[in-house]
Amino acid sequence: MSPSPDDTRLRALWVLLLAALIAWVAPLLGLAVSGNPITPYLAFPPRTLPATHAPASWLWFCLMSVPAIAGLGLIVLAVARARPQTDVVEARRAFPLWGWLGLATLAAGWFAAWSEHTPAEWRRHAFTPLWVGYVLAVNALLHRRTGGSLFTARPLWFATLFPASAAFWWLFEYLNQFVRNWHYVGIHASGEWDYFIQGTLPFSTVLPAIASTWMWLRQFPRLEALRLPAVRARPAAAWLAVGAGALGLAAIGPWPEESFPVLWVGPLLLLFGLQHLLTGTSLLAPLASGDWRPFLQPALAALACGLLWELWNYGSLAKWQYSIPHVQRLHVFEMPLLGYAGYLPFGVTCALVMDALARLVERRPLYSAP
């Protein structure tokens, strides 16, 4: 018997709340059990100070390259094996006027972020219009190809992504206090609330950008035909995922130098496990039939957005800089090369949050096969 619409909404809400609660509490418990103070991590809004980490090591670099290469290899293998439909006829439409407005906003934001002739106060706030312009432009590309866009096809869900995105990324800012892998420079805030508002505006564009990129990627026949061997999740696997995610996040408090990659994997495991246990299904359920699109497409979308985040961050006045133990080498923009691997699980985490929000506000799953 399938759950009622109201029950679907309630379960989706519990998935989000429990995942956030466990992610917040687990590192504090790890610190408390190991005898370390937790008070410094309770300040709001969370701020990460620069930190000196273990020096770069080729041994660590090689070991951590293995999962990164495996993740990219999985995408390459799925694309190579894809058998897209050959009878798809594209009906391209004119690029909409609001898409040109998005491109103009993106260009103006990029110029303002990088130009030394732009007043400093404008430069510090250019990242938000830049990414709003990107979201408009990608949805215009989607409209050109399909005749629709996310904010016309699913307006309530899409609008919800913006505040949810801000809360979502503030949670990562909180977790970053334990591992101190990035910090911000060029920020000028008169107080804590000013800093919170300045951070919330650009943070609110993370989920909309990845969602828009994901749905645009779905319009490419080869990327919409990604199939690999079936993987079936059982309740025991869901419990294992929740336990592993919680324990991993507990470890980032006392052992940040060794467990920092869990920052990107732990929330994914929590969301997947809780969604499976509380709703009886998951965004990743299609993997049981060999359909890997809801797993690989958002990972690829996040990687694409990540490259743009790092590009546009590189010349900005208000920006983030990285300090990652063991692998701080071979930079592409500000990011060490292996750091880009984190975008792959991050994209799946974003997709799980988007799916829970779709169940919450629309009473239906986000992903559906064509």
Side-chain angles (χ1 to χ4, degrees):
M1 182 177 178
S2 59
S4 66
D6 288 338
D7 193 33
T8 297
R9 299 180 70 178
L10 183 61
R11 294 185 186 192
L13 180 61
W14 273 112
V15 168
L16 293 173
L17 292 178
L18 283 176
L21 179 62
I22 295 172
W24 182 69
V25 170
L28 298 177
L29 286 177
L31 285 174
V33 170
S34 61
N36 293 293
I38 65 172
T39 304
Y41 301 94
L42 300 178
F44 183 84
R47 293 204 197 198
T48 300
L49 299 175
T52 301
H53 291 296
S57 162
W58 281 115
L59 176 60
W60 269 83
F61 187 91
C62 293
L63 290 174
M64 295 190 64
S65 295
V66 174
I69 294 172
L72 289 174
L74 203 62
I75 295 175
V76 171
L77 178 62
V79 171
R81 294 182 52 177
R83 297 294 180 265
Q85 297 180 5
T86 57
D87 58 347
V88 176
V89 178
E90 295 182 7
R92 292 184 180 273
R93 297 159 181 82
F95 197 75
L97 179 61
W98 50 266
W100 292 110
L101 175 63
L103 287 175
T105 305
L106 189 160
W110 191 350
F111 176 82
W114 280 26
S115 174
E116 296 182 358
H117 301 290
T118 304
E121 281 306 305
W122 290 17
R123 288 188 70 187
R124 290 191 180 99
H125 303 289
F127 222 66
T128 301
L130 195 164
W131 275 96
V132 169
Y134 172 86
V135 169
L136 284 171
V138 173
N139 276 276
L141 290 173
L142 188 62
H143 173 85
R144 181 171 181 260
R145 193 176 276 259
T146 68
S149 65
L150 289 183
F151 48 81
T152 57
R154 309 183 79 157
L156 179 59
W157 170 77
F158 190 69
T160 305
L161 291 183
F162 288 88
S165 178
F168 175 67
W169 190 255
W170 274 116
L171 179 60
F172 276 90
E173 291 293 321
Y174 163 76
L175 293 174
N176 183 52
Q177 292 181 112
F178 299 93
V179 296
R180 298 189 180 187
N181 284 170
W182 69 86
H183 64 276
Y184 295 95
V185 297
I187 304 293
H188 178 73
S190 59
E192 297 303 311
W193 281 107
D194 186 20
Y195 179 82
F196 174 73
I197 293 171
Q198 288 190 44
T200 296
L201 292 175
F203 295 168
S204 70
T205 64
V206 174
L207 290 181
I210 293 179
S212 301
T213 305
W214 178 12
M215 296 307 149
W216 179 59
L217 291 177
R218 289 197 67 181
Q219 308 313 309
F220 292 88
R222 185 168 286 275
L223 294 180
E224 190 62 355
L226 301 178
R227 299 191 65 84
L228 289 170
V231 176
R232 293 175 174 82
R234 302 186 182 276
W239 282 110
L240 182 62
V242 173
L247 288 174
L249 289 173
I252 68 173
W255 303 293
E257 299 290 285
E258 296 78 22
S259 60
F260 66 92
V262 178
L263 181 68
W264 306 110
V265 180
L268 189 162
L269 293 173
L270 288 177
L271 284 164
F272 163 72
L274 289 170
Q275 190 180 56
H276 190 84
L277 292 170
L278 294 178
T279 69
T281 184
S282 167
L283 171 75
L284 305 180
L287 272 67
S289 61
D291 180 1
W292 281 68
R293 287 172 294 177
F295 185 83
L296 296 180
Q297 287 174 346
L300 191 58
L303 182 59
C305 287
L307 288 167
L308 293 175
W309 272 313
E310 303 304 334
L311 165 65
W312 289 327
N313 174 67
Y314 186 67
S316 298
L317 177 61
K319 62 195 297 185
W320 58 86
Q321 295 177 337
Y322 293 98
S323 178
I324 304 177
H326 310 296
V327 296
Q328 187 79 5
R329 60 173 77 225
L330 302 179
H331 288 66
V332 179
F333 309 119
E334 294 285 350
M335 172 76 88
L337 179 62
L338 274 183
Y340 286 94
Y343 281 113
L344 299 177
F346 178 67
V348 184
T349 303
C350 292
L352 288 165
V353 171
M354 295 175 203
D355 182 62
L357 289 171
R359 295 170 190 265
L360 178 61
V361 302
E362 296 181 330
R363 305 181 184 183
R364 59 170 173 154
L366 169 64
Y367 180 86
S368 60

